[in-house]
Amino acid sequence: MDKSVRITGIILLATAPFVLYAICMLLPTFDDWTYITSPYMGELLNPERLCPNENYWRPFDGLFGYILGLYPQLFPTLNHICIFTGHLACTYVVYLIGKRIGFKSFSLIVSILFFYLSPATLGTVYNIDSMNQVYSQFWGLAALYFFLEKTGKERYLLYGTAVMIATLCKENGLAWSIIPPVFAFGFHHQLYPIEKISNGRRCSQVTTHVLIAIAIVIVYFFLRYILRYSSITLEDNEYLQFTLLDKVKDFMEFIVYTWIPVDYVSLFHQPSRNILIVAITAVFTFPCILYMLYAGRKNMLTRPFLTSTVCWILAASPHLLTIFSLMHSYAGLSMAAIMLGCLTESIERKSDKKRLTSLLGLWLIAVLFIHAHHWMKAYESGLTGKKMALQAIEISHGTPERVYLITVDDGYPKYSSFCVIPHEAFGWGIAVKYHTHYEWPHEIKDTCINISHINDARQLADKAYQEGYDCVWLTQGKEVKLIEKK
C-alpha cells in the first residue's frame, strides 16, 4: 500500500470515533419512529416482519427491530453504530475494488474521499432507519469484489450469495446481480491481459454471466412469491404512482446530489435558505469536480469510464424507477467514486496533480461545513421531538394508557430527515413512548387537521373522551397542549 493511501486510511480511522460520537447524538424523527428497525415488542417469528410484505422483504431489519424490542435502551445508538460501521466497510471495499482494477495511489485517495465524505451520503449515514441502504451497498460491493477476485465455482457461489444478502437488506440490491458482469466486461483489459483470452471465450463468459444474473433474479422473485405474507398492491401504491415529469425530476436530483455538493439545507429548506452559503460552498466545490472533468477528459470516452457510468445508473435504477430522495443517492455513490478514479488515472503531470490536490483541499473544507450544517439541523429536529415528548409527559395526568393525538398542520416545510416538521419529529406521539421507556401510553390514535379547522379540536377531543381515551393531546408547531375532559 502506498504511503499516501495509508496515511489517508489512518486519518479516516483515527477520526471515526469522534464522527460516530457526534452521529450518536442524533435522535429519532419521522420514519425512524415507525420503521421496522425501531423497537418491536411483538413475537419473534412474526411473518409480517420476516416474510415478503407488500413492497418490502427485509428480514434483517425485522430481526434488528426485535433485538431493540428486547433492549430498547439501545435505540437509536445501535442503529447509528451499525450504519456508520457499514459505511466504513463500504469505503474499504471501494478501496479494494479500485486497487483490483489498477488505480494508482492518487486515484485511490480521490475515490475513497469522495465516497466517504460526499454530501450524497448524508441522507443515509445521518439517518436512523437507513441500515438497509448501507448494507445493501456493502453486500453489493462485496459481490462485485468476489466476482473480480475469485474464479470458477467459488466466484459464482460467493457473488450469488452476496447479491441475495444485498437484496434481502433492501430490494435495490438486486441491481448488483447485473453490475459485476457489466463491470468486469468494461474493465476487461485491466483485469485480464487481452492476449490470454480469445474473443470467442470472452463472448462465452459474457453469456454465462448474464444467464447467472437472470437466474439470481428468478430465484429471488420465486422465493418472494412462495414466502409472501401479502402481495404487492398496485392500487394507490406510492412506488408506482408517478409521471414522466416525476422521473425526469428524480434523475436530475440524482445528478445534483451526486455531483454538485452544495449546502442543500440552505438551498432547499425555505426557512433556512441562505443563497450566500450556497454560493460559497459552490465556489469551493465546483472547481475540483470541473478540473477533474477537464484534466481527465481524454478518459471520458474510454471503456472503463463509460462502464462505471453505466454501473452508477444501474445501482440507483430501482430508486429512479420508483421513489427517489437524498437517501437513495447513496446507492450509486460507489460507482461514482470509481468514475472519478477513472478520470484522475489520466492525470500524470505533477503540476496537474498539485493543482488538483489544492482544489481537493477546498472541496474538503466545503464538504466538512456541509456535513456540520446538516448534522446541526438533524440534531435540532431530534431535540424538537424530545422537547415535545417531555412536554407531553409533564402536562399529562398520571400515565394515560390510551391517548388521542390531534395534530395541527400549519404548512411548515421540511427538508429530508434534517429539517423535520415538529409534529413529525414528535413521531405522532411515539416519542413519548420512547421517553417513558415504552411503559406508556400503550395506544395512541392520531388525526391531522388543517390550521384553518383548529376550532374543530374541541369537538374531536370530546368524541375521543366519549370513546374511552384517557388523554387528548394537541400539537401545534413545537407546542403540545392538553385538552382537558369536560
Side-chain angles (χ1 to χ4, degrees):
M1 183 187 295
D2 185 88
K3 182 179 179 181
S4 56
V5 179
R6 189 185 302 113
I7 292 173
T8 302
I10 290 172
I11 292 173
L12 295 185
L13 289 176
T15 56
F18 303 100
V19 175
L20 179 58
Y21 177 79
I23 291 175
C24 286
M25 294 174 67
L26 303 179
L27 296 171
T29 61
F30 193 44
D31 284 348
D32 302 332
W33 295 117
T34 57
Y35 185 60
I36 57 177
T37 50
S38 60
Y40 170 73
M41 279 73 170
E43 57 180 314
L44 171 60
L45 300 178
N46 186 341
E48 187 176 359
R49 298 173 66 85
L50 300 181
C51 295
N53 187 14
E54 294 185 355
N55 298 313
Y56 302 109
W57 185 17
R58 302 171 188 174
F60 300 123
D61 283 1
L63 289 171
F64 189 84
Y66 177 77
I67 293 171
L68 289 178
L70 296 175
Y71 308 99
Q73 66 273 19
L74 297 179
F75 177 72
T77 303
L78 186 60
N79 302 61
H80 284 309
I81 292 172
C82 291
I83 290 168
F84 183 68
T85 302
H87 181 57
L88 280 175
C90 287
T91 305
Y92 180 65
V93 184
V94 168
Y95 157 75
L96 290 178
I97 292 170
K99 187 177 179 182
R100 179 68 180 86
I101 59 180
F103 279 174
K104 301 182 186 72
S105 59
F106 188 74
S107 297
L108 283 173
I109 291 172
V110 168
S111 297
I112 292 168
L113 290 179
F114 180 79
F115 179 80
Y116 182 70
L117 289 173
S118 169
T121 65
L122 291 170
T124 296
V125 177
Y126 285 7
N127 219 322
I128 290 171
D129 69 341
S130 58
M131 190 167 60
N132 48 58
Q133 191 74 40
V134 172
Y135 285 96
S136 179
Q137 173 96 236
F138 170 75
W139 286 105
L141 287 169
L144 174 57
Y145 179 72
F146 291 143
F147 196 94
L148 301 179
E149 189 68 20
K150 304 298 181 180
T151 58
K153 293 180 180 179
E154 185 182 17
R155 163 198 274 180
Y156 300 122
L157 177 62
L158 292 174
Y159 145 69
T161 301
V163 170
M164 287 300 295
I165 296 174
T167 309
L168 292 176
C169 289
K170 193 168 187 178
E171 293 73 15
N172 65 292
L174 203 59
W176 290 93
S177 63
I178 191 63
I179 289 172
V182 171
F183 190 94
F185 179 77
F187 284 83
H188 188 84
H189 294 181
Q190 285 86 341
L191 296 170
Y192 314 105
I194 189 72
E195 66 274 8
K196 289 189 178 182
I197 301 179
S198 65
N199 288 333
R201 184 182 170 193
R202 194 176 306 118
C203 290
S204 176
Q205 281 185 338
V206 171
T207 302
T208 301
H209 297 163
V210 171
L211 290 175
I212 291 173
I214 293 172
I216 292 172
V217 174
I218 292 172
V219 169
Y220 170 75
F221 279 105
F222 175 73
L223 291 174
R224 182 164 184 147
Y225 177 77
I226 63 172
L227 296 174
R228 69 190 185 283
Y229 176 79
S230 62
S231 301
I232 296 175
T233 54
L234 301 181
E235 185 178 355
D236 297 326
N237 191 311
E238 63 176 341
Y239 285 84
L240 303 175
Q241 305 298 315
F242 54 80
T243 64
L244 179 60
L245 184 61
D246 292 330
K247 294 299 100 184
V248 172
K249 177 176 173 290
D250 286 347
F251 194 76
M252 293 305 297
E253 287 183 358
F254 176 47
I255 294 173
V256 167
Y257 286 143
T258 304
W259 300 114
I260 306 180
V262 297
D263 185 29
Y264 303 130
V265 166
S266 299
L267 180 63
F268 293 130
H269 188 236
Q270 193 275 329
S272 308
R273 188 161 292 155
N274 189 321
I275 300 304
L276 178 60
I277 291 179
V278 174
I280 292 173
T281 52
V283 167
F284 272 61
T285 58
F286 279 16
C288 181
I289 301 297
L290 291 175
Y291 193 77
M292 284 186 193
L293 292 172
Y294 170 76
R297 62 192 181 279
K298 69 179 183 180
N299 268 12
M300 291 184 69
L301 295 179
T302 60
R303 189 158 136 180
F305 180 80
L306 294 176
T307 298
S308 54
T309 302
V310 170
C311 291
W312 168 57
I313 297 172
L314 283 174
S317 59
H319 298 305
L320 292 171
L321 292 172
T322 53
I323 293 178
F324 188 85
S325 66
L326 176 59
M327 175 193 290
H328 301 135
S329 58
Y330 189 84
L333 198 60
S334 57
M335 292 298 101
I338 297 297
M339 290 169 65
L340 288 185
C342 290
L343 289 179
T344 53
E345 274 293 282
S346 65
I347 302 175
E348 297 179 351
R349 292 193 305 177
K350 288 185 177 180
S351 59
D352 287 337
K353 287 186 177 180
K354 187 175 180 180
R355 192 175 295 115
L356 183 54
T357 300
S358 299
L359 294 175
L360 189 61
L362 294 177
W363 181 88
L364 280 170
I365 292 171
V367 162
L368 291 175
F369 170 81
I370 293 169
H371 273 263
H373 194 196
H374 280 69
W375 178 90
M376 182 183 72
K377 287 297 182 181
Y379 178 74
E380 289 174 353
S381 291
L383 206 58
T384 295
K386 178 181 179 179
K387 288 179 178 178
M388 293 175 71
L390 296 179
Q391 188 176 23
I393 293 169
E394 183 180 355
I395 64 176
S396 298
H397 301 311
T399 57
E401 294 295 305
R402 300 182 70 214
V403 171
Y404 193 86
L405 172 65
I406 303 172
T407 298
V408 178
D409 182 6
D410 58 4
Y412 186 82
K414 66 177 293 184
Y415 163 63
S416 189
S417 58
F418 304 99
C419 304
V420 181
I421 302 169
H423 68 255
E424 292 184 349
F426 187 51
W428 308 276
I430 301 175
V432 176
K433 290 187 176 184
Y434 172 74
H435 287 285
T436 60
H437 308 290
Y438 293 89
E439 294 178 1
W440 65 272
H442 289 150
E443 179 188 346
I444 301 176
K445 184 178 180 180
D446 66 282
T447 188
C448 185
I449 60 175
N450 190 275
I451 193 169
S452 60
H453 296 107
I454 192 170
N455 292 332
D456 296 339
R458 179 71 258 180
Q459 184 180 352
L460 290 170
D462 291 341
K463 184 179 178 182
Y465 281 123
Q466 289 172 9
E467 293 176 357
Y469 286 92
D470 307 316
C471 181
V472 177
W473 295 328
L474 174 74
T475 65
Q476 183 176 2
K478 298 180 180 180
E479 297 294 319
V480 182
K481 299 176 182 178
L482 175 67
I483 301 181
E484 297 277 6
K485 186 176 182 180
K486 284 185 177 179

